[in-house]
């Protein structure tokens, strides 16, 4: 029988989602808790990988277990056992062929920025103090939906079979006079892609990269031509659809 676990986490003290040989991971915490509660070695498969320091308001993972589980009780017990920075919202029985990663049709990330010092945002948003032209950044963001190959924003030497992604949403939204977020939805994402895209869009907003240069960066497919990756702590995996 296959079960989906839907949960959220603050990634500040983790070396990403995936189990690491020399660092704490969200996957390791979840597997350990499930194995203790179900008294069996449980292996979980996540909907994707988040890098060190990245957060998730919604993450999904699946595991297989031979017998029926009281899913409400399991969710309750998981929340008692897991650390305070990981919270399970539900556990559910699903079809055996449903896969947390490969059955997902889209994922949505948001990258948060603030332009005035704020002690309550320091761990979840990137503080920038130079002027940014968000109208130009939005114009550039629209260009992302014209392309499918995002090799320019993929981490160098990443072990990926293809750099093709289908972006359906890419826009900056203002939430207050000093706070913004960039929202991007696609069928899949490359490693480090969102932070590299945001870094390049920030260069557009600062006047360092023109619209035509931004287009050439995408078409060039070279990571060295794109902007720097933005800090991880302001990036959230927000939604996964199936």
């Amino acid at each position: 029988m296959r079960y989906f676990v839907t949960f959220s986490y603050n990634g500040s003290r983790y070396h990403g989602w995936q189990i690491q040989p020399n660092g704490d991971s969200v996957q390791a915490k979840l597997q350990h808790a499930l194995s203790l509660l179900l008294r069996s070695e449980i292996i979980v498969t996540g909907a994707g990988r988040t890098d060190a320091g990245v957060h998730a308001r919604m993450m999904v993972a699946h595991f297989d277990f031979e017998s029926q589980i009281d899913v409400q009780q399991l969710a309750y017990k998981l929340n008692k056992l897991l650390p305070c920075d990981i919270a399970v919202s539900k556990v559910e029985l699903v079809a055996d062929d449903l896969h947390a990663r490969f059955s997902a049709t889209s994922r949505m990330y948001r990258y948060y920025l603030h332009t005035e010092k704020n002690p309550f945002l320091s761990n979840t948003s990137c503080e920038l103090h130079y002027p940014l032209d968000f109208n130009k950044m939005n114009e550039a963001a629209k260009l992302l939906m014209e392309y499918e190959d995002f090799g320019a924003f993929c981490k160098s030497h990443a072990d990926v079979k293809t750099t093709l992604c289908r972006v359906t949403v890419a826009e900056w939204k203002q939430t207050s006079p000093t706070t913004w977020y960039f929202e991007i939805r696609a069928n899949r994402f490359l490693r480090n892609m969102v932070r590299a895209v945001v870094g390049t869009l920030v260069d557009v907003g600062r006047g360092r990269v023109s619209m035509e240069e931004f287009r050439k960066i995408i078409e060039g497919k070279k990571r060295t031509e794109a902007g720097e990756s933005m800090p991880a702590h302001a990036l959230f995996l927000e939604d996964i659809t199936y």
Side-chain angles (χ1 to χ4, degrees):
M1 294 181 175
R2 178 154 291 182
Y3 293 87
F4 266 27
V5 184
T6 304
F7 56 103
S8 57
Y9 56 86
N10 182 317
S12 297
R13 69 186 187 95
Y14 296 105
H15 289 249
W17 154 256
Q18 194 170 31
I19 289 176
Q20 305 290 328
N22 300 311
D24 222 354
S25 72
V26 179
Q27 184 183 21
K29 292 293 186 186
L30 183 59
Q31 282 190 178
H32 178 67
L34 283 167
S35 298
L36 283 176
L37 293 172
L38 298 176
R39 299 179 182 179
S40 178
E41 185 179 0
I42 302 296
I43 304 297
V44 299
T45 300
R49 289 193 306 192
T50 55
D51 291 336
V54 176
H55 316 292
R57 281 191 227 278
M58 178 187 181
M59 173 61 105
V60 177
H62 78 249
F63 69 93
D64 296 324
F65 194 65
E66 59 192 15
S67 58
Q68 190 92 23
I69 297 171
D70 183 334
V71 291
Q72 289 187 329
Q73 269 296 104
L74 181 58
Y76 173 79
K77 290 178 179 178
L78 280 170
N79 279 324
K80 287 289 187 181
L81 190 57
L82 288 165
C84 62
D85 49 14
I86 304 174
V88 173
S89 56
K90 65 179 176 179
V91 180
E92 57 188 326
L93 178 65
V94 298
D96 289 343
D97 62 348
L98 203 59
H99 194 283
R101 180 182 174 191
F102 298 124
S103 298
T105 56
S106 75
R107 298 153 176 85
M108 187 261 279
Y109 282 87
R110 285 178 180 169
Y111 193 91
Y112 292 84
L113 293 181
H114 59 287
T115 56
E116 188 176 275
K117 187 175 181 180
N118 186 323
F120 304 107
L121 295 178
S122 59
N123 294 323
T124 56
S125 177
C126 181
E127 186 175 324
L128 298 178
H129 290 286
Y130 36 74
L132 291 170
D133 187 333
F134 284 95
N135 289 328
K136 282 188 178 178
M137 290 159 72
N138 261 330
E139 281 183 52
K142 288 178 183 177
L143 297 180
L144 296 169
M145 291 178 279
E146 297 180 16
Y147 295 88
E148 289 193 342
D149 193 329
F150 294 98
F153 307 115
C154 181
K155 186 171 183 177
S156 299
H157 311 298
D159 183 21
V160 292
K161 295 179 180 178
T162 175
T163 53
L164 300 180
C165 307
R166 190 171 60 255
V167 176
T168 54
V169 174
E171 61 180 324
W172 288 93
K173 296 183 179 180
Q174 187 170 17
T175 52
S176 84
T178 60
T179 57
W180 298 76
Y181 66 78
F182 175 65
E183 181 172 304
I184 183 167
R185 184 182 286 274
N187 63 323
R188 64 189 291 265
F189 286 91
L190 308 172
R191 190 171 181 194
N192 207 48
M193 176 175 163
V194 181
R195 289 192 285 146
V197 166
V198 173
T200 313
L201 288 173
V202 166
D203 283 344
V204 172
R206 297 182 71 181
R208 291 180 168 184
V209 171
S210 69
M211 214 61 60
E212 190 55 39
E213 287 170 334
F214 186 76
R215 188 183 287 277
K216 286 180 179 178
I217 287 169
I218 300 173
E219 293 174 352
K221 305 173 188 177
K222 294 181 180 179
R223 179 67 189 92
T224 52
E225 294 178 0
E228 292 184 9
S229 290
M230 300 294 283
H233 72 274
L235 181 60
F236 284 73
L237 173 58
E238 297 273 354
D239 182 56
I240 304 167
T241 56
Y242 290 91

